[in-house]
Amino acid sequence: MRRKVDPFEYLIETERLLKGDGLFLVSAGKDGKVNTMTIGWGLIGTIWRKPFFLVAVRPSRFTHHLIEESGEFTVCLPARGMEQALEFCGTRSGRDVDKFRALNLTAVKGFEVAVPYIAECPVHYECRVAYKTDLKPEALEEELRRDCYPAGDYHTLYFGLILGVYAEEDARDRLP
Ligand SMILES: Cc1cc2nc3c(=O)[nH]c(=O)nc-3n(C[C@H](O)[C@H](O)[C@H](O)COP(=O)(O)O)c2cc1C
């Protein structure tokens, strides 16, 4: 049974995963096409007096197109044993493959957003894009520009207002 928890209840686990194999970023477009990709960069915290999950998505990702369409996303914390799925979702594009079908993942409509979450993931965030901005190369320090953007494809930063965080009862036992 998935229940709503405090927005920062899984802050430590979320940050640990962001430094490791990553998280699933799920999105869906207007036509209902569902997709997920792996993210390794993100920030969770407070701004404008509200809880936010910031994700950085390059325009070349299919996910970018879907978030632009829906204005919503979910972020799912993987369960132990989902490392190969994270690898697959971080190297294959939803333009070419239905990742949910290929990996036998279950998409379930969110409680507060139309975008689904992944049932096999024990914790998920539901977010609405409250602000977005394209990275301005000239405003980024030289070293980061060189290290992270040799081919351009500068991220769009999506500030996702956290509408809800939902967790399974046994979530802490199932996280990596
Ligand atoms: C561990 C890991 C972390 C990643 N983090 C990000 C990220 O934060 N932002 C991003 O744009 N791409 C990131 N990627 C790359 C995307 O997951 C990858 O390009 C994916 O195939 C895009 O899928 P899509 O075209 O279906 O959206 C990451 C990949 C891996 C393996």
Side-chain angles (χ1 to χ4, degrees):
M1 179 65 182
R2 206 163 276 242
R3 67 181 177 91
K4 192 167 184 176
V5 298
D6 182 84
F8 297 125
E9 173 106 19
Y10 286 91
L11 182 67
I12 290 166
E13 291 83 354
T14 302
E15 290 184 335
R16 180 162 42 79
L17 287 161
L18 281 169
K19 284 188 259 172
D21 288 329
L23 314 174
F24 293 102
L25 175 63
V26 183
S27 54
K30 276 188 189 133
D31 56 0
K33 173 137 184 143
V34 183
N35 186 47
T36 184
M37 69 172 238
T38 303
I39 55 164
W41 294 353
L43 294 171
I44 175 169
T46 304
I47 185 169
W48 305 305
R49 285 191 226 104
K50 293 182 191 298
F52 269 81
F53 204 129
L54 182 154
V55 294
V57 184
R58 296 186 193 259
S60 60
R61 316 300 190 218
F62 185 48
T63 299
H64 189 278
H65 167 76
L66 295 176
I67 294 177
E68 287 294 316
E69 273 191 359
S70 66
E72 295 176 339
F73 58 84
T74 62
V75 179
C76 301
L77 307 197
R80 258 198 313 277
M82 294 182 85
E83 294 78 11
Q84 281 186 348
L86 286 164
E87 165 71 17
F88 187 87
C89 294
T91 50
R92 303 288 298 272
S93 178
R95 287 193 192 90
D96 312 317
V97 63
D98 180 339
K99 298 184 208 177
F100 278 82
R101 181 175 290 205
L103 296 167
N104 229 354
L105 296 175
T106 314
V108 179
K109 190 192 160 303
F111 296 88
E112 294 169 68
V113 292
V115 174
Y117 64 91
I118 301 172
E120 287 75 13
C121 293
V123 179
H124 80 273
Y125 294 80
E126 301 195 355
C127 303
R128 185 177 73 230
V129 178
Y131 180 66
K132 64 178 177 177
T133 184
D134 296 330
L135 266 184
K136 293 177 191 64
E138 67 279 8
L140 189 65
E141 72 174 18
E142 170 68 20
E143 194 183 329
L144 289 177
R145 206 161 57 205
R146 223 179 324 110
D147 279 4
C148 303
Y149 302 97
D153 203 12
Y154 290 89
H155 289 98
T156 299
L157 305 181
Y158 291 105
F159 288 68
L161 174 63
I162 301 176
L163 302 172
V165 181
Y166 292 84
E168 298 289 342
E169 296 287 349
D170 61 350
R172 285 216 161 74
D173 299 332
R174 292 173 52 198
L175 291 171

